[in-house]
Amino acid sequence: MELSKVTLEIFSKLEQKWLYQCEGKKTRVLSIDGGGTTAIVAGAALVHLEDQIQARTGDSAARIADFFDIAVGTGIGALLAAMLVADGGAGRPLFTAREAVDFVFENQKEMFRPARAGAFRRRMRYSGKSMEAVLRAAFRRSDGRDLTLKDTCKPLLVPCFDLNSSAPFVFSRADAAESASFDFELWKVIRATSATPSMFKPFKLTSSDGKTSCLAVDGGLVMNNPTAAAVTHVLHNKRDFSSVTGVDDLLVLSVGNGQSSSPSTTKLRRDGDCSTAAVVGIVRDGVSETIDQLLGNAFCWNPNDYVRIQASGAVGSAAEVMAERGVESLPFGGKRLLTETNGERIGGLVQRLVLTGKSSLPPSPSKEAAVSPLVSGR
C-alpha cells in the first residue's frame, strides 16, 4: 500500500511537470470582435480578465499584454486591442483594461457624433472628423508624436477592407517592423477598420513612407470576428512564433460584442429589400458566427484551448455579461449552453495563464519579422 502511494505521488508530480511544460509552449491569442458602438460584452470581459490576472498574481501592475502574445481586433474591438498593447514607454501598455473601456464609454458620443446637414447628410450618419480627433488624442505620446504600428508592446493585427484592391487588408506590427511601407499611425488604423459603410465614408490612409495607400471600409464586413486571421498569422509567422506548428500549440481567448443590430433592424421586408445598416448587421453577425464555428471545429480535440466569450441575449451591464452562462459551438453545428458562467470561464483561463507565467515574447518588434502573404496587407 505504501509503495503504491509513493508510486502514485511520483507519477502525479511527473504528470504535473509534463503538463506544465506543455502548457508553457502555448502561444496566447487575444481576439476582440467588432460591431456596435458600446462594446459592453468586450468591455466587461477585458476588465474582468485583467482584474483576475492581478488578483491571482498579487501584482496590481500586471496587465493583459503581459500574459498574451498577440492581440487582434476589428472595429471597436480593434480600438480596445490597440489600447491594451500600445507602448506608453519602456515596453509597458499605455492603458489598463479599465482605462481603455472607460475611454470608449466616455468618448462614445464624440466618436459617433451625427454629421452636420450637408451634401452627404442623406448618406452619412456620423462625423468622421470627431472620431479622428478622439483617436488621435488617444494614441499620441507626451512629446506630440503619433504612435504607429511599431509602437506596441505585443504584435497587433487589425483588418479592414481595401476598396482600391477589392480585398481584405490586414495591418500588422510584423509588417511594419519589416518595412516603413507597411507602418501606419495607430489612430488611422483604428479609423480605417471603423469605417462602417452605413455610418462613415471610406477612409484613405498612407504608410509612413507614403509608398502604400489604402481606401478602407469596415473590417467587420469580412473579419468581424478576426480570430481566424490571428491564428493564420501565428501559424505562418515563424520568426516571432517559431514553436507553433498547429492549433495544439495555441491558447485562444475570443471575445464577442453581441449582435451588431437588434432583431427588428435585421428583418428582411416581404420583397427581400432592407436597409444598408441592416445588411451590414447581418454580414457582421454571420461572419462572427461562421468563424466561431470554424474555430470550434479546429479545437474540437482541445476545447479548453479555445474560449469564446459572448452574450446569448440582450445584456444591460457588465455584471450581467459575466453572470451569463457560457455558450460553446459544437463540432458539427449548433451551440451548447455551458454550466460555467462567462466570468468563471475567464477565471479558469487566467489560472492557466498564471500557472505558465508571463508571455516570453519580447515587446520590441523584430525588423526581420516574417509574415505570411495570406495574412499581411501586401
Side-chain angles (χ1 to χ4, degrees):
M1 290 290 292
E2 291 298 323
L3 183 60
S4 297
K5 288 178 61 177
V6 172
T7 303
L8 182 62
E9 289 178 5
I10 291 174
F11 275 100
S12 177
K13 291 184 180 297
L14 288 174
E15 181 184 31
Q16 289 178 4
K17 183 178 180 180
W18 179 80
L19 288 173
Y20 177 87
Q21 289 174 341
C22 288
E23 287 288 335
K25 296 178 182 178
K26 303 282 185 183
T27 293
R28 297 90 170 265
V29 178
L30 173 63
S31 175
I32 311 173
D33 282 16
T37 60
T38 58
I40 292 178
V41 176
L46 295 173
V47 170
H48 188 70
L49 174 64
E50 193 162 273
D51 286 348
Q52 286 290 300
I53 288 174
Q54 293 175 352
R56 291 184 181 273
T57 60
D59 182 6
S60 60
R63 300 287 179 261
I64 290 176
D66 294 331
F67 289 87
F68 282 87
D69 300 299
I70 185 171
V72 56
T74 303
I76 202 163
L79 172 58
L80 290 169
M83 295 181 78
L84 294 177
V85 299
D87 190 347
R92 298 302 296 158
L94 187 62
F95 297 90
T96 66
R98 193 174 298 277
E99 288 170 347
V101 172
D102 288 346
F103 178 90
V104 170
F105 280 95
E106 291 169 3
N107 290 278
Q108 178 186 348
K109 290 184 178 179
E110 187 65 18
M111 288 192 294
F112 296 94
R113 180 194 294 178
R116 296 179 180 179
F120 298 100
R121 180 60 177 169
R122 291 184 179 181
R123 290 185 291 163
M124 294 296 116
R125 293 179 57 193
Y126 298 106
S127 167
K129 295 296 182 182
S130 59
M131 174 178 275
E132 290 162 22
V134 172
L135 295 178
R136 190 163 191 175
F139 296 107
R140 177 179 292 172
R141 290 196 175 192
S142 56
D143 60 3
R145 185 175 71 85
D146 291 329
L147 296 174
T148 71
L149 281 168
K150 292 195 295 184
D151 299 315
T152 56
C153 304
K154 292 295 168 64
L156 175 69
L157 296 180
V158 176
C160 73
F161 187 84
D162 181 18
L163 294 179
N164 288 334
S165 61
S166 298
F169 190 106
V170 180
F171 299 98
S172 160
R173 190 188 81 165
D175 278 337
E178 184 180 353
S179 170
S181 296
F182 298 102
D183 190 24
F184 296 83
E185 293 168 320
L186 273 177
W187 75 266
K188 292 182 179 179
V189 170
I190 306 306
R191 176 66 179 85
T193 192
S194 303
T196 306
S198 60
M199 298 181 180
F200 300 99
K201 292 185 290 185
F203 181 71
K204 184 176 182 179
L205 68 164
T206 56
S207 58
S208 299
D209 62 1
K211 293 183 179 180
T212 304
S213 64
C214 176
L215 184 60
V217 293
D218 185 9
L221 298 177
V222 287
M223 298 185 201
N224 196 57
N225 178 348
T227 313
V231 170
T232 305
H233 177 91
V234 172
L235 290 174
H236 288 82
N237 184 354
K238 296 304 180 184
R239 181 69 64 178
D240 291 333
F241 307 104
S242 58
S243 64
V244 178
T245 59
V247 294
D248 291 342
D249 299 320
L250 301 179
L251 180 59
V252 178
L253 173 60
S254 176
V255 182
N257 261 331
Q259 290 186 330
S260 55
S261 302
S262 63
S264 61
T265 62
T266 58
K267 288 182 179 178
L268 293 171
R269 288 167 34 182
R270 290 184 180 272
D271 59 2
D273 192 20
C274 61
S275 66
T276 302
V279 172
V280 171
I282 292 170
V283 171
R284 279 176 163 174
D285 295 337
V287 168
S288 290
E289 290 297 317
T290 300
I291 295 301
D292 182 33
Q293 185 65 55
L294 291 174
L295 268 295
N297 292 344
F299 284 88
C300 64
W301 300 112
N302 300 290
N304 292 329
D305 289 345
Y306 174 65
V307 178
R308 173 75 171 169
I309 302 298
Q310 56 189 332
S312 58
V315 290
S317 67
E320 291 178 6
V321 175
M322 291 297 98
E324 266 197 348
R325 290 169 62 183
V327 179
E328 183 178 68
S329 292
L330 298 175
F332 299 102
K335 291 184 178 294
R336 177 176 63 189
L337 193 63
L338 304 175
T339 57
E340 288 182 309
T341 65
N342 286 326
E344 290 170 341
R345 297 191 78 199
I346 290 177
L349 176 69
V350 170
Q351 186 174 6
R352 295 180 64 188
L353 295 176
V354 174
L355 173 67
T356 55
K358 294 183 177 181
S359 166
S360 58
L361 194 69
S364 58
S366 169
K367 294 183 179 180
E368 300 177 357
V371 183
S372 166
L374 295 175
V375 182
S376 87
R378 279 171 274 180

